[in-house]
Amino acid sequence: MSRRLEHPRGYRRFAVLATALAATVAALLPVAPAAAETTARGWTGTWATAQHAAYDPGTSEVTVRIPVRVSAGGSGVRIRLTNDFTTEPVTIGHATVGLRDGGSAVTKPQRLRFGGKSGVTIAAGGQAASDQVQLTVPARSDLVVSLYFPGRLTHISQHWMGLQTVYWTPDGGGDHASDADGDAFTKTDSTFPFLTGVDVQGGNAAGAVVALGDSITDGAASTSNANRRWPDYLAGRLSACTATAGVLNEGISGNRITAGVDGNPSALDRLERDVLSQPGARTVVLFEGVNDLSWGGATGDQVIDGMKEIVRRAHERGLRVIGATVVPYRGWGDWWTETKEADRQKVNTFVRDGGVFDDYADFDKAVRDPDDPTRYAAAFDSGDHLHPNDVGMKAFADAVDLTTLGAGRDCPSARVRLTPYRPTLQAGGDGTEIKSTVTNTGSKMVTEVSTRLALPDGWSAEPAGSTRTRSLAPGDSATVTWTVTPAADAAWGTHEIGVRTSFVQDGRTRRDSDSVDATVTPAPSAVRAPYLTTATTEQAQFAQNGEQFAIWAGGQDLSGWKDEKAAVYLADAAPPSGTVTARVVGQTGSGPSAKAGIAVANDLTAPEAGGYAVLTMSAQYGLEFMTDSDGDGKLDTWAGGGSSYHPAWLKIVRAGTAYTAYASSDGTAWQQVAGATVPSASGTGDAGLIASAVNLNYPGQITTALFDSFSTHE
């Protein structure tokens, strides 16, 4: 039996005043309310990151613009900021939030206030939350938070592995937090400064799921600016539920359960801050242990004890805990041993059968090689044998049974997936087989299953058999094999192929989708006038597709005493004073010294005629700028180095006999490589694209170089 308490007259006025005062104070105090308390207030975390380090930026009067992909949506939003890991306060003079309008542009940025004030000073180690802003935030949309720092910015508290372009004004750039366009933001990096959380109200989220993990959860080796971390994929699955859930990524690269270091506290030490205090938190997925067992020196029993402590503390606060099994890591450096593998198996047996977790997600089973369970399967391995690629990240999210989370409700039970995960299609080819598989992961039959592909314009797909299935019992699958043919003029490179399925579940039509990145590769073809070809190496072939060019080349070297290359060029196109520019998209199929780039000469078919210079990006060893100093056709000077990157913009600027080489990763910000004098240069010369396999130590290999831009200008 309960009794209603009656408050004296005047209580309501006092409560309003007290609430206003509390909001002002809360903006300046650490934000660490209990999960149940924040749920009562209606806030649900929709994005989060774990701050764990700080640095001195050496800048003043700057504005930063931080794009974030939210999970759950709502009609009101607030941000949370932190000044952890610092020894001095930080002042934010102006802050805004708005929906992203592409790049660093924002649609109608809304001013944020802190306790009714437009700015806030956060003490060292402190936190602050903004007041609510009325803003319709769709689920799985991009928000942009802008922060202006008046005066000298002495330090930045950060999460360093953002995997997201973050935009800054230059030093002294001033307050641009309210700009709709992004023109003022000319500098970039990829760390999340100060921002530690975004919360929503008024949506259909039934709480939040917190992913507590290390670099794998942080997204290491997934595609930058693509939101392909496994918590992102999990958020995508939950967004299809009638009642969704926020998904909060609290991964830190190098994190461990059993120990921590400065700037990277252990999972136990950061549990309160990063999990238990998250607004609306209902469930935590614990995915840690590989660092403890591999290089951290911990035993399986020590990891298990740490897991038990995390579960105990989470249960005390009313949170469910889903344990994720520890993934295989054999081949990752020299960390794997038979003894450590035995410890990994011991931990995974505990996660699956120990009776401590509320449920488990078998991440180990999702990605391991069936023929060697100590290793990743090749389809999921990023190449370092510890971190998964995008497909492995998706496999982790698929391994989570949504019904165990206690957060999302009424979720679709059938899932569709495409394989192979990175199909290759050849331009002008006969088509490539791609399979779509629908699996009923639920506990009830689904009916009227229908599947179709979503293709780029001009592409075609022919299914082998029916694309419809009358019904799927729990655990059953239906596969359709498609022959996919790209358009005749499809650009070489990456294209998205999607699949969509619809089905009836409990009398309602539900849907699921998937996509893969398909690569269209060139086939040798004619090069059209005015372009010409020349080669001083065997097995040279060429192709052109609009403004794209491909060169296949062998050869021993392109330097000094060897000049073995293949080239696509324009005769008499290099002016006495002007520039030659190209973009190298990529280079595959040969050793680390293989080169691709641009060349100029009085006559590219006869380098001994003078004026010869080459600027290339090697496959792995960085930039190389080589010139002929004495007119004998031998490239006898060299400058360059650094790390390789692709795509790479390359540029040679000529002023008579003076050549200067430049390189850029975006075609906008150019870095000078070197300058050289080429006394034999005279008049207008040839300019072209070149490739060389450089097979001195890799005999017989062929390199394939792709270019998608080439121009000359006076």
Side-chain angles (χ1 to χ4, degrees):
M1 180 175 177
S2 62
R3 217 174 60 168
R4 181 179 178 184
L5 297 178
E6 298 293 340
H7 299 296
R9 298 183 61 178
Y11 171 83
R12 185 176 302 274
R13 169 186 273 178
F14 173 78
V16 171
L17 291 174
T19 300
L21 177 61
T24 302
V25 173
L28 302 177
L29 294 178
V31 180
E37 182 182 359
T38 54
T39 302
R41 294 175 182 170
W43 288 112
T44 297
T46 187
W47 179 91
T49 193
Q51 299 279 322
H52 61 101
Y55 69 97
D56 182 351
T59 191
S60 300
E61 292 285 336
V62 292
T63 306
V64 64
R65 185 154 276 184
I66 313 164
V68 298
R69 171 66 58 87
V70 302
S71 48
S75 57
V77 64
R78 74 175 183 183
I79 69 169
R80 288 177 285 126
L81 303 169
T82 185
N83 193 26
D84 283 350
F85 304 102
T86 65
T87 58
E88 299 179 46
V90 65
T91 296
I92 296 163
H94 183 196
T96 63
V97 64
L99 295 174
R100 193 176 190 181
D101 192 25
S104 55
V106 184
T107 300
K108 297 180 180 179
Q110 304 292 308
R111 179 183 292 270
L112 290 166
R113 296 186 180 277
F114 301 83
K117 299 179 180 179
S118 59
V120 63
T121 296
I122 310 173
Q127 299 182 8
S130 74
D131 303 337
Q132 180 184 10
V133 169
Q134 292 298 316
L135 177 67
T136 300
V137 180
R140 306 289 293 144
S141 64
D142 287 343
L143 278 181
V144 176
V145 175
S146 300
L147 307 173
Y148 163 61
F149 305 95
R152 171 80 162 84
L153 183 57
T154 60
H155 60 274
I156 291 177
S157 182
Q158 63 163 344
H159 178 92
W160 74 265
M161 188 187 288
L163 295 175
Q164 169 69 58
T165 299
V166 172
Y167 304 89
W168 291 84
T169 60
D171 188 34
D175 183 2
H176 291 275
S178 290
D179 291 6
D181 61 56
D183 294 347
F185 297 87
T186 58
K187 297 176 61 179
T188 62
D189 65 19
S190 58
T191 67
F192 292 126
F194 297 105
L195 183 66
T196 191
V198 178
D199 308 326
V200 291
Q201 284 183 331
N204 69 335
V209 177
V210 185
L212 180 61
D214 49 39
S215 58
I216 301 177
T217 298
D218 213 1
S222 68
T223 302
S224 296
N225 290 311
N227 300 298
R228 294 181 178 178
R229 313 163 189 87
W230 73 260
D232 295 317
Y233 284 116
L234 180 61
R237 289 188 61 203
L238 284 165
S239 68
C241 303
T242 300
T244 186
V247 178
L248 308 180
N249 189 334
E250 296 290 355
I252 300 178
S253 180
N255 202 232
R256 289 176 285 167
I257 294 175
T258 58
V261 296
D262 288 344
N264 200 335
S266 72
L268 283 163
D269 288 340
R270 66 191 184 95
L271 186 66
E272 175 66 36
R273 183 196 72 175
D274 291 343
V275 177
L276 303 182
S277 66
Q278 292 298 325
R282 294 276 187 88
T283 304
V284 54
V285 180
L286 175 61
F287 182 29
E288 298 233 25
V290 70
N291 292 324
D292 300 83
L293 297 174
S294 58
W295 55 267
T299 66
D301 287 334
Q302 288 172 323
V303 172
I304 290 170
D305 287 344
M307 289 180 166
K308 288 179 178 178
E309 177 67 10
I310 289 173
V311 173
R312 182 190 67 78
R313 289 172 58 189
H315 281 171
E316 286 178 351
R317 301 287 283 273
L319 272 68
R320 292 176 59 80
V321 187
I322 308 299
T325 49
V326 181
V327 293
Y329 63 90
R330 189 172 188 176
W332 181 51
D334 297 324
W335 297 114
W336 186 91
T337 66
E338 292 282 359
T339 300
K340 292 177 180 179
E341 177 64 19
D343 274 333
R344 186 177 77 90
Q345 296 298 339
K346 185 175 187 177
V347 171
N348 284 350
T349 298
F350 165 75
V351 172
R352 295 181 182 111
D353 305 326
V356 172
F357 290 101
D358 297 289
D359 215 306
Y360 72 92
D362 207 336
F363 286 6
D364 168 46
K365 182 180 179 180
V367 299
R368 70 191 181 205
D369 185 343
D371 296 326
D372 183 356
T374 66
R375 298 178 183 271
Y376 267 84
F380 306 118
D381 193 349
S382 68
D384 68 5
H385 313 305
L386 171 67
H387 301 98
N389 55 23
D390 293 350
V391 179
M393 292 289 185
K394 186 187 301 180
F396 289 155
D398 283 348
V400 178
D401 183 349
L402 301 186
T403 64
T404 67
L405 295 178
R409 293 196 302 270
D410 188 25
C411 302
S413 62
R415 296 207 297 274
V416 63
R417 291 294 177 255
L418 285 176
T419 54
Y421 305 111
R422 292 186 181 275
T424 298
L425 303 89
Q426 190 172 65
D430 295 331
T432 299
E433 286 192 354
I434 296 177
K435 294 182 179 181
S436 62
T437 301
V438 181
T439 303
N440 182 4
T441 62
S443 59
K444 298 180 181 179
M445 180 177 292
V446 298
T447 60
E448 300 179 35
V449 182
S450 177
T451 305
R452 64 186 179 90
L453 293 189
L455 301 172
D457 290 343
W459 291 38
S460 64
E462 292 295 329
S466 176
T467 61
R468 297 177 179 273
T469 301
R470 179 170 296 178
S471 63
L472 282 177
D476 284 355
S477 298
T479 298
V480 179
T481 300
W482 309 76
T483 299
V484 179
T485 305
D489 59 350
W492 307 329
T494 301
H495 299 261
E496 184 177 81
I497 297 177
V499 63
R500 296 169 185 161
T501 189
S502 64
F503 52 94
V504 175
Q505 173 185 332
D506 294 328
R508 294 174 50 205
T509 299
R510 308 298 292 269
R511 294 174 175 81
D512 191 47
S513 63
D514 189 29
S515 64
V516 295
D517 289 335
T519 302
V520 175
T521 61
S525 63
V527 172
R528 299 186 297 275
Y531 293 97
L532 304 169
T533 63
T534 185
T536 53
T537 181
E538 296 178 354
Q539 299 176 298
Q541 292 181 296
F542 309 92
Q544 182 181 359
N545 182 15
E547 297 301 314
Q548 294 182 300
F549 296 90
I551 301 176
W552 291 262
Q556 290 190 46
D557 206 352
L558 176 59
S559 179
W561 57 281
K562 289 285 187 182
D563 187 60
E564 299 188 357
K565 65 181 185 297
V568 175
Y569 72 100
L570 290 172
D572 299 324
S577 294
T579 63
V580 177
T581 307
R583 189 171 90 139
V584 184
V585 177
Q587 187 172 18
T588 58
S590 58
S593 297
K595 299 176 175 65
I598 53 178
V600 295
N602 295 345
D603 182 351
L604 270 177
T605 67
E608 65 274 8
Y612 193 26
V614 169
L615 174 63
T616 65
M617 179 67 76
S618 71
Q620 295 182 26
Y621 294 150
L623 292 157
E624 298 191 58
F625 178 48
M626 297 170 286
T627 63
D628 174 12
S629 67
D630 55 12
D632 64 355
K634 305 284 177 50
L635 295 168
D636 52 20
T637 70
W638 184 95
S643 59
S644 293
Y645 54 87
H646 295 89
W649 287 90
L650 306 177
K651 178 167 63 178
I652 294 177
V653 178
R654 179 185 175 191
T657 60
Y659 291 0
T660 308
Y662 298 87
S664 171
S665 60
D666 60 7
T668 301
W670 293 89
Q671 300 294 322
Q672 182 173 322
V673 180
T677 300
V678 185
S680 57
S682 63
T684 299
D686 298 344
L689 306 168
I690 60 167
S692 173
V694 189
N695 281 327
L696 284 172
N697 298 315
Y698 298 85
Q701 295 191 22
I702 301 296
T703 190
T704 303
L706 299 181
F707 308 82
D708 67 359
S709 177
F710 176 64
S711 62
T712 62
H713 301 281
E714 292 189 13

